[in-house]
């Protein structure tokens, strides 16, 4: 399953890691426009969001907030990338070697 970039305006784009296996930190930071924060969604997928999205005054990402299960206690502001854990961990991390 590919990852999805959920933009602030609700558009969803399929995205793939440059190395073909997993997203590297710089890629995730570029997608969300800053430092990343990890959110585990109720369906088991991982979401990475801009850690400072609210502080930067970014727009609320309604679709990402709904998917994250955080509402009504919190909200996602800015772009978000979501997908299966395997796309966000190197093979070494998944094997417990790191």
């Amino acid at each position: 399953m590919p990852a999805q970039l959920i933009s602030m305006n609700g558009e969803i784009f399929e995205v793939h890691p440059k190395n073909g296996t997993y997203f590297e930190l710089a890629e995730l930071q570029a997608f969300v426009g800053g430092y990343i924060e990890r959110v585990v969604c109720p369906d088991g997928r991982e979401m990475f969001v801009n850690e400072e999205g609210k502080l930067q005054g970014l727009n609320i990402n309604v679709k990402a907030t709904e998917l994250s299960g955080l509402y009504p206690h919190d909200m996602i502001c800015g772009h978000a990338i979501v997908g299966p854990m395997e796309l966000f961990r190197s093979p070494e991390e998944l094997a417990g070697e790191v």
Side-chain angles (χ1 to χ4, degrees), residues 5-71:
L5 176 67
I6 306 171
S7 70
M8 286 182 278
N9 65 9
E11 291 182 279
I12 298 176
F13 304 93
E14 188 173 294
V15 293
H16 302 274
K18 287 182 183 176
N19 66 22
T21 307
Y22 63 94
F23 291 98
E24 296 184 4
L25 176 61
E27 287 178 272
L28 295 175
Q29 289 175 327
F31 281 125
V32 303
Y35 294 113
I36 60 168
E37 179 177 351
R38 176 179 168 257
V39 176
V40 178
C41 299
D43 65 7
R45 292 187 292 170
E46 292 189 338
M47 179 182 294
F48 288 86
V49 302
N50 186 320
E51 180 179 74
E52 299 176 333
K54 286 180 260 181
L55 295 173
Q56 293 174 355
L58 299 178
N59 292 334
I60 297 170
N61 188 325
V62 175
K63 285 189 179 187
T65 299
E66 289 172 353
L67 183 62
S68 72
L70 295 175
Y71 184 81

Side-chain angles (χ1 to χ4, degrees), residues 65-97:
T65 299
E66 289 172 353
L67 183 62
S68 72
L70 295 175
Y71 184 81
H73 306 291
D74 204 354
M75 62 191 155
I76 306 294
C77 293
H79 301 312
I81 183 170
V82 63
M85 178 182 69
E86 295 80 21
L87 289 177
F88 303 110
R89 301 287 181 271
S90 70
E92 295 80 18
E93 289 174 304
L94 289 170
E97 298 170 9

